[in-house]
Amino acid sequence: MRPHTYPTAGGTVITHDQGAHLTEWRLGDTPVIWVSSESEYAEGQPIRGGVPVCWPWFGPGRPGDLTPAHGFARVAPWRLVQEDSDGSALRLAWELTHADVQGLPGTEHFVHDFTARLRVTVEEAASVALTVRNDGSEPFDYEAALHTYLQVGDIRQVEIAGLDGCDYFDKVLRADATQEGPVVFGGETDRVYASSGTVQVHDPVLRRTLMIEKAGSPNTVVWNPWADKARAMPDFADHEWQQMVCVEAATVGGHAVALEPGQEHTLSTTVRVTTANGS
């Protein structure tokens, strides 16, 4: 699986055509977007890290038994249709259609005509946007998430602000709850928040705050596997759970997107880095 590497303003971006996948974004030598050292980069296998495109379902889907997990888009062969880079700004776009995915595992669960476009723009911030258009004659619906993995210094010291008072479903405890104060981490965390707003990932170890801005995203997913689950995943080094957290723009479950023929929807996320003093 061949990577594409691009210089950007103060850093480097790496992408892969499989999954239209932004796999790395660094500012200087410091990663902003995390990727596992154990990712295999094998055809047909999801890449562990970066910004996987979860579509047209999230996890096992609303029925609870769909495979592959998170849909087929993240392992599909997207076509790179735009590649503009001048060393400071980077603009990329990939497309995927119903014809492109024929025969892939899981496509029997989604047989509709569609065009999906994934756009990546990196300047001072990194933005990823997924637009899906219904090209058929019948309505369809789908779930989607931009499964953004963020690099942090130590997850045990990270706080996420912007979700106070939001209702969420705790997938670890299988229970509904309401967030009180900032999100902090002391064990496996897997939550789907009813929140469309911006969140801030405060990282005292790396002395920065990551601003996560979203659009078309009624849900925010927060995930860290913690030690035991990380050890059980072959594409995840045992210690790496300490240096990552996922904060995902999503539209899942009861917030699934419904498209009439000819309609389209865009889900987007932007990651912006600020220092401890806000610059």
Side-chain angles (χ1 to χ4, degrees):
M1 190 191 302
R2 184 173 67 88
H4 305 285
T5 302
Y6 306 92
T8 63
T12 306
V13 164
I14 299 176
T15 69
H16 287 80
D17 292 341
Q18 177 173 288
H21 201 133
L22 171 60
T23 44
E24 296 186 52
W25 174 38
R26 292 175 176 266
L27 291 178
D29 294 328
T30 304
V32 180
I33 301 297
W34 176 92
V35 64
S36 173
S37 63
E38 298 297 317
S39 287
E40 296 182 5
Y41 300 99
E43 184 176 343
Q45 297 297 318
I47 298 169
R48 176 66 65 187
V51 186
V53 177
C54 303
W55 189 84
W57 56 84
F58 182 73
R62 285 165 289 167
D65 60 356
L66 299 185
T67 58
H70 293 315
F72 50 78
R74 65 177 180 158
V75 295
W78 293 64
R79 289 173 285 109
L80 185 63
V81 295
Q82 181 185 6
E83 188 178 26
D84 298 329
S85 176
D86 61 11
S88 59
L90 173 66
R91 295 175 181 86
L92 306 172
W94 292 263
E95 282 191 352
L96 187 73
T97 68
H98 176 71
D100 296 322
V101 300
Q102 293 304 297
L104 287 182
T107 52
E108 68 274 15
H109 303 306
F110 193 86
V111 296
H112 311 285
D113 288 328
F114 69 88
T115 297
R117 176 173 280 244
L118 195 285
R119 289 172 287 123
V120 169
T121 304
V122 182
E123 294 179 90
E124 292 83 8
S127 298
V128 181
L130 171 68
T131 300
V132 177
R133 185 179 69 232
N134 183 347
D135 291 332
S137 58
E138 300 292 334
F140 64 70
D141 56 37
Y142 64 84
E143 297 178 293
L146 299 172
H147 198 311
T148 308
Y149 288 77
L150 302 170
Q151 180 90 22
V152 297
D154 184 346
I155 187 62
R156 293 160 294 195
Q157 299 185 50
V158 165
E159 291 188 354
I160 297 179
L163 295 169
D164 185 28
C166 294
D167 295 332
Y168 66 90
F169 179 68
D170 190 317
K171 296 174 72 175
V172 177
L173 301 178
R174 309 298 300 175
D176 294 312
T178 301
Q179 184 65 40
E180 297 181 6
V183 180
V184 295
F185 299 86
E188 181 185 352
T189 302
D190 192 354
R191 300 174 181 176
V192 180
Y193 286 86
S195 173
S196 60
T198 297
V199 303
Q200 305 87 41
V201 180
H202 298 298
D203 185 345
V205 173
L206 296 182
R207 293 189 291 180
R208 69 186 185 187
T209 294
L210 304 181
M211 305 285 292
I212 315 300
E213 304 160 358
K214 308 185 299 141
S217 168
N219 301 111
T220 299
V221 178
V222 177
W223 180 69
N224 181 281
W226 221 251
D228 289 346
K229 196 161 192 174
R231 281 194 293 268
M233 291 188 284
D235 58 354
F236 210 117
D238 290 354
H239 66 281
E240 287 184 325
W241 61 272
Q242 300 172 61
Q243 275 74 57
M244 56 71 61
V245 65
C246 287
V247 179
E248 309 168 36
T251 178
V252 300
H255 294 108
V257 175
L259 292 183
E260 295 293 326
Q263 287 186 332
E264 63 180 33
H265 176 270
T266 298
L267 170 71
S268 68
T269 188
T270 297
V271 180
R272 194 178 308 277
V273 183
T274 65
T275 59
N277 62 12
S279 63

